[in-house]
Amino acid sequence: MAKQKKKGQSGQAKNYITRTQAVRKLQISLPDFRRLCIFKGIYPREPRNIKKASKSATHSTTFYYTKDIQYLLHEPLLGKFREQKALEKKIARSLGRNEVQDAVRLEKHGMRKVKLDHIVRERYPTFVDALRDLDDALSLLFLFANLPSTTEVPARVISRCQRLCHEFEHFLIATNSLRKSFLSIKGIYYQATIQGQDIMWLVPYKFVQRVTQDVDYRIMGTFVEFYYTLLGFVNYRLYTSIGLVYPPKFDTASDERGAELAAFTIEGRQVAGAIEQGQEPHTIANGHAQNGNTELVQAQIDKIAQETVQEQMVGQEEQPEDQPETDGIDTFTPAAPEGDTLPQPDVTSEDAARLFSDFTFFISREAPRHPIEFLLRAFGCKRVGWDNVLGEGAFTHDETDPRITHQIVDRPAPAQALHSLQGQEEVNGQNLQIVKPGFIMPGRIYVQPQWIWDSVNEGKLLPTNVYAPGETLPPHLSPWIKPTSGQYDPRATLEEQELEGETAAAPHGEEEEEEAEEVGHIVGNDDVEDNEHSEEDGDDGDEEIDAGDMDVAGSEGESEDLDEDGRDAFAGFEDAAEETSDLDEEAQHQKELEAEAAGRAVRPDGNGTNKNNKAIKARQLERTKKDEEIERQKMMMSNKKRKLFEKMQYSNNKRDVQAEKLRSKRRKLEATGKR
């Protein structure tokens, strides 16, 4: 006889456990249970049948896997949580006895720090796993780095997040790993490629943040506590992989004066090992060499650099001559003309390092300094200057420096060129020459900030005249979304997207709209609105007839009735064209009568209108032929395939109509601009 199964000991009742049962089993408080689950990466689960999992459960009951809770029983953090709970009881007892000194001593020396190193190694057994899970970590850490300090978010947490984020940005600058960036309403999106993994994160704009009470900062703080442990491990591995010392030296005083990225001193391990005798290292920060190095230190640094160059040259000489060069990036071309377009690889780090390497930039005070500086330095620029009010660390604070080739401004077009200096300003004991707003320096290129982002996304330097101050900027689109065939593409010109005859048919519609507006002003808006409604109804009716043309013509009964009554059957597209021309003549005659009644001059149709009418007729004939061909193909399909095809056709038609509306809107805007 088989062993009988007891109820509640198998199936979903055994696989799932409620949150209340889990808290009782672990013997910790609910906040500690949430914190432990966040650290370990354990999330609630939803069973297929709630009643089978637990009889007393409702839709608001939270379930977990029983194996996950069993796994938490062996976690070393449980002991630390219990010690903290016992210590909190002792502190509360001391405060109740008015023993304040004992409570302070217990809180200072008795509270043990929770370390998450073993959890990071456990959740990410390989470094690639940590890189794949870095998107959310970077987004949250950059968010906390821009928050104001409050009781929920201490200042030490914000400063630690800022330091880790700047260290990560320095690695991207050193390796030129940044690939794309996009300005959105939420913030600035960045994408970097590290060891073959694409990492994308969001950085909020540096506006004044309002801390609301409907956000649970305790839960977010738990995630931040785990994420900055993770990012610290990742930064250490990244720095050591390219031969840099981690952590980099950090100047607190310079950071307080707004240096940000310039407050860090990046050193190589070879250079650091060569100067272990107490001298200061030789560092390069934004195009300036730090002074104070002795001749011995400088000789050691030059010797190490020369040996590195010689090793690279020897490695290149050992490469056989017959082997082709592989420095350039590979491109994929389709084997056949009808083949699919293969996705091309992105730019390499060498291409990114050369994008802005030949220029010297100056950031005006109204432009966002940190994102522009980060992008410029990540794509090869070594000399970036800005106004002294934006902080320290600039290549130059002098706006009239002749070495500046490009200036980033976000103001209206300047009134006139600057032929003489406009003023002087004393900063740190030095007289700096400044330029008043509305004046420009001759021989310098002025561009708006969007030029940097668009050039980075395109992988090449775009024309600067399109991004000049006061110019209408081109559309800034996401670099990760590529337009498909049939969709409207703002980057392409109208000639590349328009259908045949669409341009010729556009002016006719515009003249009708202008005439309708004139009639509305003279006769009255009510009559025009009625006419518009009637015209719209008529257009809808025509479209419905066109859409169901094949169904009506394909019915045998109706065609026989038409033949028996002696009516003319469909004789081809020429009769349809003649009927359309008759309708156009009647419409033109009606317009002339309305114009005479309104007291306006009658505008006879010229050659342009005849050409437009011909273009419209040609498009209608082509559309009719296409619809007939589609209906003929649908007759050969099964019902299932026909329904699927109709759904696809509906979505495609909807997309085409939307694209045509956008093209006509753009055509009107361009025509208005030309006038």
Side-chain angles (χ1 to χ4, degrees), residues 93 149 270 508 517 538 647:
R93 190 183 300 115
S149 60
Q270 293 180 347
H508 183 70
E517 291 178 358
K647 291 181 180 179

Side-chain angles (χ1 to χ4, degrees), residues 10 162 186 391 404 406 474 513 543 578 587 594 608 611 645:
S10 63
Q162 289 176 350
K186 297 180 180 179
I404 299 173
H406 293 70
E513 291 179 0
E543 291 178 0
E578 291 177 359
E594 292 176 357
K611 291 181 181 179
F645 179 76

